[in-house]
Amino acid sequence: MEAVWFCLLTWMFGTFVVLGGSDLGVGVLHLFVAKSESERLKVLGAIGPVWKGNEVWLVAAGGTMLLAFPRALAVSFSGFYLPLIIILWLLIFRALGIEMRQHVDDRLWKQFWDVSFSAASLVLAVFFGAAIGNVVRGVSLNEKGVFFAPLWTDFGVGGRTGILDWYTVFVALAATAALAHHAALWLNWRTDGAVRERADRVADRLWLPVLFSSLVLLTVSFVVQPTGGDSLRARPWGVVFPLVALGSLFVAGALRKRKKPGQAFLASAAYLYGMMATAAIGVYPYILPARNPAAGLTVHDAAAGAHALRIGLFWWIPGMLMVCGYFVFLYRRILGRERTLGLPGDPQVPHRSQEE
Amino acid sequence: MEELTIHRLQFAFTIVYHYLFPQVTMGLALLIFVLKTMALRGDHTANMAARFWLKIFGLNFIMGVVTGIPMEFQFGTNWSRFTSASGGIIGQTLAMEGVFAFFLESSFLYLLLYEERRLGARGHWVVSVLLFVGSWLSGFFIVCTNAWMQHPVGYEISEEGALQLTSLWALLTNPWAIPQFLHTMVGSVITASFGMAAIGAFYILRGQQLALARRSLSLAVVSGVIASVLAPMPTGDLQAKLVYEHQPITFAAMEGHFHTQEGAPLVLIGQPDLDEMRLDNPIVVPKMLSFLTHRRWSAKIRGLSDFDRELWPDNVELLYYSYHVMAGLGSFFILIMAASAFYLWRGKLHQKRWLLWILMLALPFPFIANTAGWLTAELGRQPWLIHGLMLTADGYSDQVVHGNVLFTLIGFMGMYALLSILYLLVSIRIIVGSNDAPVEAGSRRS
């Protein structure tokens, strides 16, 4: 039962990375691919109708973790206290960046919120990447089963670890590149004109770094967290996930070159799912590995009571099927439309955005 | 400052600030649904009004979302020992909120706000129903979570001492949750009604947006008078009885009832003096407390001095004032709305400028009353975090270095000060910027 919930949780976080991650990546690229007001509106319009729903995947994944693995949530959230609160502030700024700019028709006002949106997205992408890096590397759980991580110590992975060390910084940069690449494919699909061309170029330039960093991650992680090797030996079929990830990345590159932007984006989604699944199977049966492997928190240690896990499935599965229904409906609506969407917030804006 | 105090202050500050917005959106979702239903039957003015209120709704919704995510996170970051012990139970309701409410609201909000033309009248009405259902479900799951902390049900204590769920049904039908949910929703409708009435009155006094303003004001007065009456009777009354039955110490403290007595009076006004164990400058209704609680004038009510001081709420004065501020304001709401409803019925409300002024200036008070109500619930539960099971002092994250918490508390204050400025700025632009031209979707040059 714990394994079932572990899979569902991985799926939820994976979906956040795929959907919410593309919005984050769009934020990272915002200032680079869109220069004029009409171009910025195009970029914001490409995520406007969906970004709020996409962000819920993160909140709901947190809720699901609380339901199934309350101890894991309690220990990790309090241990990563400072970075998590900073993430909250950044999430506020990012949301404001998207939602506030339309309210005042002023160049400085719009510039301010564009930069807020972009900067907050960039730092969030880095932090989320570092968070995954921290979970894979393991934390310094003490004898009471808790830890408290400072932002950084000596940037080494031994001894008393901080949130940022050479390994997690590398994961963070790799994740940022992967999300930017993913978002470039989205913009390449969902916009047109100069924005689309720039996005295409960004995707082209990022492809090799993403491939390279993925290969490094897939090898170095097993050195940093040796239990990953044991996990794969116990479940050799898990090798399929990194293979899917790498294969999808090649497919994404090829499809983009053949001018099939929609399929290229989907392939990139498969790549992100594959990487998340690889990380998950690498840490399993731990949900929060420790630097000292024996002290790690396993799914069994962290799980809620048997009744809670069983009864939870009865409503969780139909509930999430309904949610999938909403998302299919919403994405079909926006994908069925012409590429140039309005600014989130004002259907008339595309007609009057010739200022600049 | 003590570690526990900082954790409590941060939660109190962020939750009080957060709840300023959902109380608007939950109530407004109902009123917009009513307006859209009127619009579906061909009422063009109602549809215009719905478009205007959707702008207010959208702004408040965003504020609710950005200040709400920190609430979910703080369960883990600041209250990890509580979350670790009780997550197996409250995880159910909190996860349900995500799955059944947040996804629904956040997915369809964009359609509701910006896609009226593409959806058509019927489609737009359906989306307004979805948002209404989503926001009220969200309220239900949160109240259920709180109700479990007030009155734990459907659990057992395992051999290792962890709290484990035994019945999801019991958790969702907690006898505490139903009256608390109704009372909370009624409070939210009061805020939305007063908000709608205040802005409607403002427009009528200024002679601007008259059709929209009159339709809004009429609806707001009708919903306002119904909700203001439902707040004490029966929803508040039911809740007070539950508190008396299950938290008698809290009951005595919030009523300012110090000594056990038969035929206990109901305190309207007075200042509690805990050293002398008495009330200064009291204005009371004799025997009323006994009657309200037991429906018998001479019934005995236990006073605060009967109970072990260790188990008293740690801030009796604030609890007492919170409760009395809520109840006092609630009485004024009934008066104001009853007078407005009377003149509305006689067709003279729009000429009564003094009453329009009162409606306009009353805007802040429902926010204060709702906040005071929640303070009563939360201070009243002290010293318990989970009533009878876990003390607040045992629930916070004790491994978090406490300077960090002070830093984040200050950070939240700065952040929310900025949010307040933006919120006011944009609200004023929406309200004052809507000039005499009829409001069409998207025609306002932002």
Side-chain angles (χ1 to χ4, degrees), chain A residues 134-147 157-161 223-228 230 283 285-298 301:
Chain A
N134 269 277
V135 172
V136 172
R137 178 207 60 200
V139 295
S140 311
L141 288 172
N142 67 15
E143 65 284 355
K144 279 162 72 189
V146 296
F147 72 102
V157 296
R160 183 170 175 251
T161 49
V223 179
V224 170
Q225 181 51 276
T227 57
D230 305 339
V283 297
Y286 296 102
I287 188 165
L288 188 64
R291 288 309 296 153
N292 163 19
L297 195 61
T298 65
D301 303 330

mmCIF file of all heavy atoms in Angstrom, chain A residues 134-147 157-161 223-228 230 283 285-298 301:
data_model
loop_
_atom_site.group_PDB
_atom_site.id
_atom_site.type_symbol
_atom_site.label_atom_id
_atom_site.label_comp_id
_atom_site.label_asym_id
_atom_site.label_seq_id
_atom_site.Cartn_x
_atom_site.Cartn_y
_atom_site.Cartn_z
ATOM 1 N N ASN A 134 18.542 17.640 -2.942
ATOM 2 C CA ASN A 134 18.667 17.360 -1.512
ATOM 3 C C ASN A 134 18.049 16.028 -1.129
ATOM 4 O O ASN A 134 18.589 15.300 -0.307
ATOM 5 C CB ASN A 134 18.006 18.478 -0.703
ATOM 6 C CG ASN A 134 18.989 19.571 -0.361
ATOM 7 O OD1 ASN A 134 19.718 19.456 0.602
ATOM 8 N ND2 ASN A 134 19.034 20.600 -1.183
ATOM 9 N N VAL A 135 16.880 15.740 -1.711
ATOM 10 C CA VAL A 135 16.213 14.482 -1.372
ATOM 11 C C VAL A 135 17.053 13.310 -1.859
ATOM 12 O O VAL A 135 17.264 12.332 -1.134
ATOM 13 C CB VAL A 135 14.787 14.437 -1.967
ATOM 14 C CG1 VAL A 135 14.172 13.064 -1.794
ATOM 15 C CG2 VAL A 135 13.916 15.489 -1.294
ATOM 16 N N VAL A 136 17.587 13.417 -3.074
ATOM 17 C CA VAL A 136 18.381 12.312 -3.610
ATOM 18 C C VAL A 136 19.677 12.136 -2.807
ATOM 19 O O VAL A 136 20.049 11.023 -2.452
ATOM 20 C CB VAL A 136 18.701 12.553 -5.102
ATOM 21 C CG1 VAL A 136 19.688 11.513 -5.609
ATOM 22 C CG2 VAL A 136 17.416 12.499 -5.918
ATOM 23 N N ARG A 137 20.331 13.250 -2.497
ATOM 24 C CA ARG A 137 21.595 13.159 -1.774
ATOM 25 C C ARG A 137 21.379 12.650 -0.352
ATOM 26 O O ARG A 137 22.198 11.936 0.209
ATOM 27 C CB ARG A 137 22.248 14.540 -1.712
ATOM 28 C CG ARG A 137 23.570 14.579 -0.942
ATOM 29 C CD ARG A 137 23.802 15.960 -0.361
ATOM 30 N NE ARG A 137 22.727 16.308 0.546
ATOM 31 C CZ ARG A 137 22.428 17.555 0.904
ATOM 32 N NH1 ARG A 137 23.113 18.552 0.431
ATOM 33 N NH2 ARG A 137 21.428 17.782 1.735
ATOM 34 N N GLY A 138 20.214 12.974 0.235
ATOM 35 C CA GLY A 138 19.962 12.577 1.620
ATOM 36 C C GLY A 138 20.322 13.699 2.555
ATOM 37 O O GLY A 138 21.125 14.578 2.230
ATOM 38 N N VAL A 139 19.668 13.710 3.726
ATOM 39 C CA VAL A 139 19.881 14.792 4.681
ATOM 40 C C VAL A 139 20.465 14.230 5.966
ATOM 41 O O VAL A 139 20.500 13.018 6.165
ATOM 42 C CB VAL A 139 18.552 15.526 4.971
ATOM 43 C CG1 VAL A 139 18.054 16.221 3.721
ATOM 44 C CG2 VAL A 139 17.520 14.575 5.519
ATOM 45 N N SER A 140 20.901 15.130 6.839
ATOM 46 C CA SER A 140 21.574 14.678 8.062
ATOM 47 C C SER A 140 20.562 14.416 9.168
ATOM 48 O O SER A 140 20.446 15.204 10.108
ATOM 49 C CB SER A 140 22.574 15.740 8.528
ATOM 50 O OG SER A 140 23.378 16.135 7.446
ATOM 51 N N LEU A 141 19.824 13.317 9.045
ATOM 52 C CA LEU A 141 18.847 12.990 10.088
ATOM 53 C C LEU A 141 19.597 12.598 11.365
ATOM 54 O O LEU A 141 20.542 11.823 11.333
ATOM 55 C CB LEU A 141 17.967 11.829 9.631
ATOM 56 C CG LEU A 141 16.961 12.153 8.534
ATOM 57 C CD1 LEU A 141 16.284 10.883 8.045
ATOM 58 C CD2 LEU A 141 15.915 13.132 9.040
ATOM 59 N N ASN A 142 19.163 13.144 12.496
ATOM 60 C CA ASN A 142 19.818 12.810 13.756
ATOM 61 C C ASN A 142 19.118 11.633 14.437
ATOM 62 O O ASN A 142 18.215 11.016 13.877
ATOM 63 C CB ASN A 142 19.891 14.044 14.673
ATOM 64 C CG ASN A 142 18.512 14.493 15.140
ATOM 65 O OD1 ASN A 142 17.538 13.749 15.019
ATOM 66 N ND2 ASN A 142 18.419 15.708 15.651
ATOM 67 N N GLU A 143 19.510 11.365 15.682
ATOM 68 C CA GLU A 143 18.955 10.172 16.339
ATOM 69 C C GLU A 143 17.460 10.313 16.640
ATOM 70 O O GLU A 143 16.743 9.338 16.773
ATOM 71 C CB GLU A 143 19.746 9.840 17.618
ATOM 72 C CG GLU A 143 19.682 10.849 18.745
ATOM 73 C CD GLU A 143 20.557 12.090 18.471
ATOM 74 O OE1 GLU A 143 21.276 12.105 17.443
ATOM 75 O OE2 GLU A 143 20.524 13.019 19.279
ATOM 76 N N LYS A 144 16.975 11.585 16.689
ATOM 77 C CA LYS A 144 15.530 11.770 16.890
ATOM 78 C C LYS A 144 14.756 11.714 15.580
ATOM 79 O O LYS A 144 13.541 11.902 15.553
ATOM 80 C CB LYS A 144 15.265 13.124 17.574
ATOM 81 C CG LYS A 144 15.486 13.078 19.089
ATOM 82 C CD LYS A 144 15.651 14.463 19.682
ATOM 83 C CE LYS A 144 14.357 15.249 19.713
ATOM 84 N NZ LYS A 144 14.606 16.674 20.087
ATOM 85 N N GLY A 145 15.478 11.482 14.488
ATOM 86 C CA GLY A 145 14.794 11.364 13.203
ATOM 87 C C GLY A 145 14.442 12.697 12.575
ATOM 88 O O GLY A 145 13.584 12.763 11.704
ATOM 89 N N VAL A 146 15.091 13.777 13.021
ATOM 90 C CA VAL A 146 14.830 15.079 12.409
ATOM 91 C C VAL A 146 16.154 15.702 11.984
ATOM 92 O O VAL A 146 17.231 15.188 12.294
ATOM 93 C CB VAL A 146 14.085 16.036 13.375
ATOM 94 C CG1 VAL A 146 12.718 15.487 13.707
ATOM 95 C CG2 VAL A 146 14.891 16.284 14.631
ATOM 96 N N PHE A 147 16.068 16.783 11.237
ATOM 97 C CA PHE A 147 17.285 17.487 10.835
ATOM 98 C C PHE A 147 16.940 18.946 10.650
ATOM 99 O O PHE A 147 15.766 19.326 10.587
ATOM 100 C CB PHE A 147 17.835 16.912 9.516
ATOM 101 C CG PHE A 147 17.013 17.277 8.310
ATOM 102 C CD1 PHE A 147 17.419 18.284 7.444
ATOM 103 C CD2 PHE A 147 15.815 16.618 8.045
ATOM 104 C CE1 PHE A 147 16.638 18.632 6.338
ATOM 105 C CE2 PHE A 147 15.037 16.958 6.942
ATOM 106 C CZ PHE A 147 15.451 17.966 6.090
ATOM 107 N N VAL A 157 29.524 17.374 0.150
ATOM 108 C CA VAL A 157 28.402 16.483 0.410
ATOM 109 C C VAL A 157 28.642 15.609 1.647
ATOM 110 O O VAL A 157 27.795 14.821 2.017
ATOM 111 C CB VAL A 157 28.086 15.572 -0.796
ATOM 112 C CG1 VAL A 157 27.639 16.388 -1.964
ATOM 113 C CG2 VAL A 157 29.287 14.709 -1.140
ATOM 114 N N GLY A 158 29.814 15.769 2.278
ATOM 115 C CA GLY A 158 30.073 14.975 3.477
ATOM 116 C C GLY A 158 29.812 15.820 4.704
ATOM 117 O O GLY A 158 29.556 17.022 4.623
ATOM 118 N N GLY A 159 29.855 15.181 5.875
ATOM 119 C CA GLY A 159 29.719 15.917 7.132
ATOM 120 C C GLY A 159 28.369 16.584 7.245
ATOM 121 O O GLY A 159 27.347 16.056 6.838
ATOM 122 N N ARG A 160 28.358 17.801 7.805
ATOM 123 C CA ARG A 160 27.107 18.518 8.002
ATOM 124 C C ARG A 160 26.744 19.215 6.698
ATOM 125 O O ARG A 160 27.400 20.159 6.276
ATOM 126 C CB ARG A 160 27.281 19.541 9.131
ATOM 127 C CG ARG A 160 26.001 20.277 9.452
ATOM 128 C CD ARG A 160 26.168 21.088 10.732
ATOM 129 N NE ARG A 160 24.969 21.873 10.966
ATOM 130 C CZ ARG A 160 24.913 23.198 10.830
ATOM 131 N NH1 ARG A 160 25.968 23.887 10.477
ATOM 132 N NH2 ARG A 160 23.776 23.832 11.063
ATOM 133 N N THR A 161 25.692 18.722 6.062
ATOM 134 C CA THR A 161 25.373 19.238 4.740
ATOM 135 C C THR A 161 24.446 20.439 4.820
ATOM 136 O O THR A 161 23.612 20.542 5.708
ATOM 137 C CB THR A 161 24.671 18.149 3.905
ATOM 138 O OG1 THR A 161 23.618 17.609 4.699
ATOM 139 C CG2 THR A 161 25.629 17.069 3.513
ATOM 140 N N VAL A 223 26.996 7.848 -7.171
ATOM 141 C CA VAL A 223 28.186 7.979 -6.336
ATOM 142 C C VAL A 223 27.830 8.741 -5.057
ATOM 143 O O VAL A 223 28.221 8.367 -3.953
ATOM 144 C CB VAL A 223 29.300 8.726 -7.102
ATOM 145 C CG1 VAL A 223 30.532 8.884 -6.228
ATOM 146 C CG2 VAL A 223 29.608 8.010 -8.399
ATOM 147 N N VAL A 224 27.053 9.812 -5.211
ATOM 148 C CA VAL A 224 26.696 10.645 -4.066
ATOM 149 C C VAL A 224 25.767 9.884 -3.116
ATOM 150 O O VAL A 224 25.875 9.983 -1.908
ATOM 151 C CB VAL A 224 26.024 11.948 -4.550
ATOM 152 C CG1 VAL A 224 25.426 12.720 -3.384
ATOM 153 C CG2 VAL A 224 27.037 12.803 -5.289
ATOM 154 N N GLN A 225 24.835 9.123 -3.698
ATOM 155 C CA GLN A 225 23.872 8.388 -2.870
ATOM 156 C C GLN A 225 23.974 6.906 -3.228
ATOM 157 O O GLN A 225 23.249 6.427 -4.093
ATOM 158 C CB GLN A 225 22.455 8.928 -3.103
ATOM 159 C CG GLN A 225 21.388 8.264 -2.274
ATOM 160 C CD GLN A 225 21.686 8.210 -0.797
ATOM 161 O OE1 GLN A 225 22.373 7.321 -0.318
ATOM 162 N NE2 GLN A 225 21.185 9.192 -0.049
ATOM 163 N N PRO A 226 24.843 6.187 -2.539
ATOM 164 C CA PRO A 226 25.103 4.794 -2.921
ATOM 165 C C PRO A 226 23.873 3.899 -2.836
ATOM 166 O O PRO A 226 23.805 2.888 -3.525
ATOM 167 C CB PRO A 226 26.164 4.337 -1.918
ATOM 168 C CG PRO A 226 26.693 5.576 -1.284
ATOM 169 C CD PRO A 226 25.637 6.614 -1.394
ATOM 170 N N THR A 227 22.892 4.237 -1.989
ATOM 171 C CA THR A 227 21.727 3.355 -1.880
ATOM 172 C C THR A 227 20.976 3.277 -3.205
ATOM 173 O O THR A 227 20.229 2.334 -3.438
ATOM 174 C CB THR A 227 20.747 3.840 -0.803
ATOM 175 O OG1 THR A 227 20.352 5.168 -1.116
ATOM 176 C CG2 THR A 227 21.360 3.803 0.569
ATOM 177 N N GLY A 228 21.168 4.283 -4.072
ATOM 178 C CA GLY A 228 20.526 4.254 -5.384
ATOM 179 C C GLY A 228 20.913 2.998 -6.150
ATOM 180 O O GLY A 228 20.072 2.370 -6.799
ATOM 181 N N ASP A 230 21.789 0.089 -4.840
ATOM 182 C CA ASP A 230 21.091 -1.053 -4.236
ATOM 183 C C ASP A 230 19.660 -1.119 -4.735
ATOM 184 O O ASP A 230 19.141 -2.198 -5.030
ATOM 185 C CB ASP A 230 21.072 -0.929 -2.701
ATOM 186 C CG ASP A 230 22.483 -0.755 -2.154
ATOM 187 O OD1 ASP A 230 23.430 -1.132 -2.895
ATOM 188 O OD2 ASP A 230 22.632 -0.248 -1.029
ATOM 189 N N VAL A 283 15.648 6.455 -4.874
ATOM 190 C CA VAL A 283 15.624 6.630 -3.413
ATOM 191 C C VAL A 283 14.777 5.552 -2.721
ATOM 192 O O VAL A 283 15.003 5.253 -1.559
ATOM 193 C CB VAL A 283 15.107 8.021 -2.972
ATOM 194 C CG1 VAL A 283 16.020 9.107 -3.464
ATOM 195 C CG2 VAL A 283 13.691 8.263 -3.411
ATOM 196 N N PRO A 285 13.427 2.271 -1.124
ATOM 197 C CA PRO A 285 12.220 2.441 -0.307
ATOM 198 C C PRO A 285 12.272 3.639 0.636
ATOM 199 O O PRO A 285 11.385 3.805 1.453
ATOM 200 C CB PRO A 285 12.177 1.151 0.504
ATOM 201 C CG PRO A 285 13.614 0.790 0.679
ATOM 202 C CD PRO A 285 14.313 1.259 -0.568
ATOM 203 N N TYR A 286 13.336 4.442 0.524
ATOM 204 C CA TYR A 286 13.358 5.644 1.348
ATOM 205 C C TYR A 286 12.475 6.700 0.709
ATOM 206 O O TYR A 286 12.358 6.764 -0.507
ATOM 207 C CB TYR A 286 14.783 6.189 1.485
ATOM 208 C CG TYR A 286 15.695 5.233 2.218
ATOM 209 C CD1 TYR A 286 16.607 4.443 1.529
ATOM 210 C CD2 TYR A 286 15.599 5.109 3.600
ATOM 211 C CE1 TYR A 286 17.420 3.548 2.200
ATOM 212 C CE2 TYR A 286 16.412 4.211 4.282
ATOM 213 C CZ TYR A 286 17.318 3.435 3.569
ATOM 214 O OH TYR A 286 18.101 2.546 4.243
ATOM 215 N N ILE A 287 11.863 7.546 1.537
ATOM 216 C CA ILE A 287 11.165 8.701 0.995
ATOM 217 C C ILE A 287 11.971 9.945 1.346
ATOM 218 O O ILE A 287 11.935 10.949 0.658
ATOM 219 C CB ILE A 287 9.704 8.785 1.476
ATOM 220 C CG1 ILE A 287 8.950 9.880 0.735
ATOM 221 C CG2 ILE A 287 9.602 8.945 2.983
ATOM 222 C CD1 ILE A 287 7.466 9.782 0.886
ATOM 223 N N LEU A 288 12.757 9.840 2.421
ATOM 224 C CA LEU A 288 13.700 10.900 2.760
ATOM 225 C C LEU A 288 14.997 10.219 3.190
ATOM 226 O O LEU A 288 15.175 9.884 4.347
ATOM 227 C CB LEU A 288 13.146 11.773 3.891
ATOM 228 C CG LEU A 288 13.967 13.017 4.199
ATOM 229 C CD1 LEU A 288 13.971 13.967 3.014
ATOM 230 C CD2 LEU A 288 13.435 13.729 5.425
ATOM 231 N N PRO A 289 15.899 9.978 2.236
ATOM 232 C CA PRO A 289 17.139 9.283 2.578
ATOM 233 C C PRO A 289 18.024 10.160 3.467
ATOM 234 O O PRO A 289 17.896 11.383 3.449
ATOM 235 C CB PRO A 289 17.819 9.060 1.228
ATOM 236 C CG PRO A 289 16.846 9.467 0.187
ATOM 237 C CD PRO A 289 15.864 10.380 0.838
ATOM 238 N N ALA A 290 18.880 9.495 4.234
ATOM 239 C CA ALA A 290 19.803 10.231 5.097
ATOM 240 C C ALA A 290 21.215 10.066 4.566
ATOM 241 O O ALA A 290 21.497 9.180 3.761
ATOM 242 C CB ALA A 290 19.703 9.718 6.521
ATOM 243 N N ARG A 291 22.126 10.925 5.038
ATOM 244 C CA ARG A 291 23.526 10.757 4.660
ATOM 245 C C ARG A 291 24.029 9.427 5.186
ATOM 246 O O ARG A 291 24.796 8.732 4.548
ATOM 247 C CB ARG A 291 24.381 11.905 5.216
ATOM 248 C CG ARG A 291 24.183 13.235 4.535
ATOM 249 C CD ARG A 291 24.304 13.152 3.027
ATOM 250 N NE ARG A 291 25.630 12.769 2.551
ATOM 251 C CZ ARG A 291 25.857 12.160 1.402
ATOM 252 N NH1 ARG A 291 24.856 11.817 0.626
ATOM 253 N NH2 ARG A 291 27.080 11.861 1.029
ATOM 254 N N ASN A 292 23.617 9.102 6.406
ATOM 255 C CA ASN A 292 23.914 7.791 6.964
ATOM 256 C C ASN A 292 22.738 6.878 6.594
ATOM 257 O O ASN A 292 21.671 6.986 7.180
ATOM 258 C CB ASN A 292 24.062 7.922 8.478
ATOM 259 C CG ASN A 292 23.955 6.583 9.167
ATOM 260 O OD1 ASN A 292 24.118 5.538 8.537
ATOM 261 N ND2 ASN A 292 23.666 6.620 10.451
ATOM 262 N N PRO A 293 22.913 5.991 5.612
ATOM 263 C CA PRO A 293 21.775 5.283 5.015
ATOM 264 C C PRO A 293 20.853 4.638 6.055
ATOM 265 O O PRO A 293 19.640 4.641 5.880
ATOM 266 C CB PRO A 293 22.451 4.232 4.139
ATOM 267 C CG PRO A 293 23.783 4.775 3.830
ATOM 268 C CD PRO A 293 24.201 5.597 5.018
ATOM 269 N N ALA A 294 21.410 4.123 7.125
ATOM 270 C CA ALA A 294 20.582 3.404 8.096
ATOM 271 C C ALA A 294 19.565 4.329 8.758
ATOM 272 O O ALA A 294 18.515 3.888 9.210
ATOM 273 C CB ALA A 294 21.470 2.762 9.142
ATOM 274 N N ALA A 295 19.871 5.638 8.821
ATOM 275 C CA ALA A 295 18.981 6.564 9.528
ATOM 276 C C ALA A 295 17.846 7.075 8.645
ATOM 277 O O ALA A 295 16.964 7.781 9.109
ATOM 278 C CB ALA A 295 19.787 7.743 10.055
ATOM 279 N N GLY A 296 17.877 6.707 7.354
ATOM 280 C CA GLY A 296 16.896 7.253 6.413
ATOM 281 C C GLY A 296 15.465 6.910 6.777
ATOM 282 O O GLY A 296 15.184 5.922 7.459
ATOM 283 N N LEU A 297 14.553 7.770 6.297
ATOM 284 C CA LEU A 297 13.129 7.585 6.575
ATOM 285 C C LEU A 297 12.540 6.793 5.405
ATOM 286 O O LEU A 297 12.505 7.275 4.284
ATOM 287 C CB LEU A 297 12.485 8.958 6.686
ATOM 288 C CG LEU A 297 11.107 9.071 7.305
ATOM 289 C CD1 LEU A 297 11.116 8.582 8.737
ATOM 290 C CD2 LEU A 297 10.652 10.527 7.259
ATOM 291 N N THR A 298 12.071 5.572 5.685
ATOM 292 C CA THR A 298 11.513 4.768 4.603
ATOM 293 C C THR A 298 10.027 5.080 4.454
ATOM 294 O O THR A 298 9.417 5.681 5.331
ATOM 295 C CB THR A 298 11.655 3.265 4.876
ATOM 296 O OG1 THR A 298 10.859 2.954 6.021
ATOM 297 C CG2 THR A 298 13.095 2.882 5.140
ATOM 298 N N ASP A 301 8.262 3.777 7.466
ATOM 299 C CA ASP A 301 8.356 4.595 8.693
ATOM 300 C C ASP A 301 7.430 5.798 8.629
ATOM 301 O O ASP A 301 6.889 6.246 9.628
ATOM 302 C CB ASP A 301 9.779 5.179 8.872
ATOM 303 C CG ASP A 301 10.828 4.100 8.904
ATOM 304 O OD1 ASP A 301 10.489 2.995 9.363
ATOM 305 O OD2 ASP A 301 11.963 4.365 8.468
#
